Amino acid sequence: MAFWKKKPAGEAREVDFSRLPDHVAIIMDGNGRWAKKRGLPRTAGHAAGAEAFRTIAYYCRDIGIPYLTVYAFSTENWRRPQEEVSAIMGLLKNYLLEVLEKMERDGFRVHFFGDLSVLSPDLRDLCLRSMERSKQVPPGHQVNICLNYGGRDELIRAVKAWQADCQAGKADPADLTEEVLSGYLDSAGIPDPDLVIRPSGELRLSNFLPWQSAYAEFWFSDVLWPDFTPEVLNQAIADFQTRDRRFGGV
Ligand code: FPP
């Protein structure tokens, strides 16, 4: 029996693998504290966080969660020391090189949320190539990486693009609906997250998918992201499965 299907220890609930969320979104928080606890540089925490991401991405694919979205770098993260920013960008670059090589074999589609225009040309090129190559991978499991992403920035970019279409006669202000605006977001065509997870003990959204999370269920944990395992994700999913989602109804 696969390790994740074994009965969890103690009082933990079991996951019903026939009722999984379609879209899980995660704020990968706590890398710095994980490193500090071990007397390591913060960059070592991000390297461990990138490994945790790999494990969780494969796990979601294996159990059949179609969409995983992760917050890798926010529009505010540029305020960090240059060395730390470079380390995170380097990890992303390595990951994308690996993905480009194994994407078809491993069945992943990769997509980006965020303003890629300010990235270094080589990283931006890798992001664009990964998205282009993803079109050849059959749908089934998609990883969305939020890179230079901020929810408010995403909304401003969407409104500007819609405004430009209005001026060009391709959109009509009288027809603006939630669906129309959703079509201008980075997440266009992707279902809203069902479950938003934030590890590391922080209880805030930090500009992560504010529009898309309007009806999401939230799950928080004290586990630091590099220690986040498939077993922890199972706890989140099992908890999610106990929630009564009414979407404003009764
Ligand atoms: C937040 O923890 C984490 C980040 C800002 C970076 C996340 C990046 C990665 C996990 C690596 C690259 C990603 C991929 C998809 C390969 P923090 O540094 O704020 O931690 P702290 O709150 O403990 O200081």
Side-chain angles (χ1 to χ4, degrees):
M1 183 187 261
F3 75 93
W4 63 80
K5 292 193 175 163
K6 282 185 194 146
K7 199 172 160 46
E11 295 299 308
R13 289 185 195 94
E14 278 192 74
V15 172
D16 176 351
F17 288 95
S18 69
R19 282 193 312 122
L20 293 170
D22 285 327
H23 187 170
V24 172
I26 307 181
I27 300 178
M28 303 188 291
D29 196 14
N31 297 343
R33 277 163 284 169
W34 182 92
K36 195 174 175 199
K37 266 171 62 181
R38 287 163 177 75
L40 296 169
R42 290 177 59 81
T43 49
H46 296 311
E51 283 313 310
F53 161 72
R54 269 192 190 81
T55 305
I56 294 299
Y58 278 94
Y59 180 64
C60 287
R61 184 201 64 173
D62 292 347
I63 62 173
I65 292 176
Y67 296 95
L68 170 69
T69 300
V70 291
Y71 209 176
F73 197 86
S74 77
T75 43
E76 289 73 37
N77 285 152
W78 297 106
R79 295 183 198 138
R80 295 184 177 216
Q82 178 55 39
E83 186 201 337
E84 185 172 340
V85 171
S86 303
I88 295 173
M89 297 301 164
L91 287 164
L92 281 160
K93 200 168 149 182
N94 287 344
Y95 172 69
L96 291 177
L97 287 167
E98 181 191 316
V99 147
L100 278 171
E101 202 177 298
K102 302 197 297 194
M103 189 181 252
E104 282 94 352
R105 189 197 79 184
D106 290 355
F108 280 105
R109 282 183 172 204
V110 177
H111 192 75
F112 290 88
F113 294 176
D115 178 5
L116 305 183
S117 68
V118 299
L119 300 179
S120 68
D122 58 337
L123 183 57
R124 189 173 56 244
D125 179 57
L126 269 176
C127 295
L128 297 176
R129 269 168 54 207
S130 307
M131 285 199 276
E132 195 50 39
R133 273 273 289 285
S134 289
K135 292 179 187 159
Q136 293 163 31
V137 180
H141 186 60
Q142 179 164 322
V143 172
N144 304 308
I145 300 176
C146 298
L147 183 52
N148 189 32
Y149 175 85
R152 291 180 174 183
D153 178 67
E154 179 191 30
L155 280 164
I156 296 287
R157 286 186 286 108
V159 170
K160 283 185 177 168
W162 172 75
Q163 234 172 6
D165 275 358
C166 287
Q167 274 158 8
K170 293 188 220 155
D172 184 345
D175 294 337
L176 184 62
T177 59
E178 291 182 12
E179 286 68 32
V180 168
L181 192 59
S182 291
Y184 285 86
L185 297 175
D186 299 331
S187 56
I190 297 168
D192 286 343
D194 303 292
L195 173 60
V196 174
I197 296 175
R198 182 163 196 163
S200 94
E202 312 290 355
L203 305 176
R204 52 179 177 267
L205 201 50
S206 300
N207 214 2
F208 182 53
L209 308 175
W211 172 282
Q212 298 87 341
S213 299
Y215 285 97
E217 297 294 326
F218 289 83
W219 195 81
F220 299 99
S221 158
D222 287 337
V223 170
L224 302 173
W225 173 248
D227 291 329
F228 200 98
T229 57
E231 287 78 7
V232 182
L233 182 57
N234 278 352
Q235 286 171 31
I237 296 170
D239 228 349
F240 165 81
Q241 290 175 334
T242 67
R243 311 267 179 101
D244 179 18
R245 301 183 80 196
R246 293 188 298 280
F247 298 96
V250 286

